[in-house]
Amino acid sequence: MKITVLTLFPEMFAPLKESIIGRAVQSGKLDLRIINIRDYSEDKHKKCDDYPFGGGAGMVMLPQPICSAVKAADPDHSARRIYMSPKGKRLTQQKVCSLAAGGDILLLCGHYEGVDQRVLDLYFDEEISIGDYVLTGGELPAMVVCDCVARYADGVLAAGSLVDESFSDGLLEYPQYTRPAVFEGAGVPQVLLSGNHAEIDKWRREQSKKLTAERRPDLIKNN
Ligand code: 4GY
């Protein structure tokens, strides 16, 4: 699986060096390329932003450095080119699945007041939002996409991890317990200690349905 990220702040992607995603990169299961847009600026001061036409607060990212970086990273437009933006279509687990199955991904992170609209019109395929709130840049959203998509790369997760989790069947996940069997006076549901796997599966399915009905009735109606 290959994911390329274009950003003015490549050091913000340090968290992806840790834990499961870090190991996926180290082992070659995930080909993650973080590209500094500034390296592609043809300006003598490597400038990457300027004032917005029409006035207003903040700065807009210049088209030239971004488009040169896109052409270098994805010369034949073989990747799905995605701009992280609150204006985009909301990310869902279904969308994550389709991205994971879809081939190479290129993510553009905006910063400041965003990118020149012509970059999106001329070079990008779609916009994705991770939720209805505004961040200072697209870097955290791009990390969210990298993380949740990379979980689907072959061998990244333990076998079966993708099967039972929340949303995989449109329901929230059942509660989990581990040792000790009694913690601060609180026990574990007896069925989980019974060794009866048919009963355990049944209990977990019931818990999933109950939790989803209580907390996310919208997920049930849309099912
Ligand atoms: N929410 N989902 C989001 C975001 C920050 C200025 C445009 C989001 O995806 N991206 O809040 N992005 C802004 C920062 C330029 C993107």
Side-chain angles (χ1 to χ4, degrees):
M1 177 181 286
K2 182 177 172 187
I3 306 179
T4 302
V5 179
L6 306 185
T7 174
L8 284 175
F9 300 95
E11 288 168 355
M12 286 182 73
F13 290 81
L16 299 182
K17 295 184 168 111
E18 302 290 335
S19 184
I20 297 169
I21 307 303
R23 279 195 294 278
V25 172
Q26 279 307 317
S27 65
K29 287 164 191 151
L30 173 63
D31 179 359
L32 177 63
R33 304 188 186 189
I34 311 296
I35 290 172
N36 190 344
I37 293 166
R38 197 170 302 280
D39 292 344
Y40 292 86
S41 173
E42 287 163 10
D43 177 77
K44 61 178 183 290
H45 304 295
K46 301 254 173 238
K47 191 171 81 141
C48 289
D49 57 13
D50 207 335
Y51 300 99
F53 280 131
M59 301 295 268
V60 176
M61 286 169 68
L62 293 168
Q64 179 277 313
I66 298 170
C67 294
S68 295
V70 169
K71 284 183 249 188
D74 180 32
D76 49 6
H77 200 156
S78 55
R80 223 157 143 174
R81 297 178 177 176
I82 299 165
Y83 181 54
M84 301 314 303
S85 161
K87 296 180 197 172
K89 191 155 183 243
R90 278 276 286 282
L91 187 64
T92 61
Q93 197 62 29
Q94 193 181 306
K95 180 73 177 178
V96 170
C97 256
S98 82
L99 289 172
D104 295 355
I105 297 169
L106 183 145
L107 303 174
L108 173 61
C109 307
H111 225 88
Y112 317 114
E113 300 306 313
V115 307
D116 186 301
Q117 183 62 36
R118 293 166 294 183
V119 169
L120 307 179
D121 296 343
L122 296 172
Y123 285 84
F124 278 76
D125 302 314
E126 58 188 306
E127 298 183 35
I128 292 179
S129 167
I130 64 160
D132 291 341
Y133 37 79
V134 183
L135 300 159
T136 57
E139 283 78 12
L140 286 166
M143 275 186 265
V144 167
V145 171
C146 288
D147 186 290
C148 61
V149 171
R151 295 173 70 252
Y152 286 88
D154 284 338
V156 168
L157 295 187
S161 294
L162 293 167
V163 178
D164 287 345
E165 66 189 5
S166 289
F167 304 117
S168 66
D169 54 1
L171 298 175
L172 302 181
E173 202 189 358
Y174 50 80
Q176 299 274 20
Y177 298 86
T178 186
R179 288 184 281 186
V182 180
F183 177 71
E184 296 190 355
V188 167
Q190 198 56 47
V191 63
L192 299 179
L193 308 175
S194 71
N196 183 336
H197 288 284
E199 281 300 312
I200 291 169
D201 286 349
K202 181 164 158 270
W203 180 85
R204 285 176 167 169
R205 255 195 310 278
E206 286 164 2
Q207 290 293 309
S208 277
K209 283 188 200 155
K210 185 164 153 277
L211 195 66
T212 309
E214 280 167 15
R215 295 195 189 172
R216 293 297 305 276
D218 57 304
L219 292 178
I220 291 173
K221 280 177 212 132
N222 298 335
N223 228 1

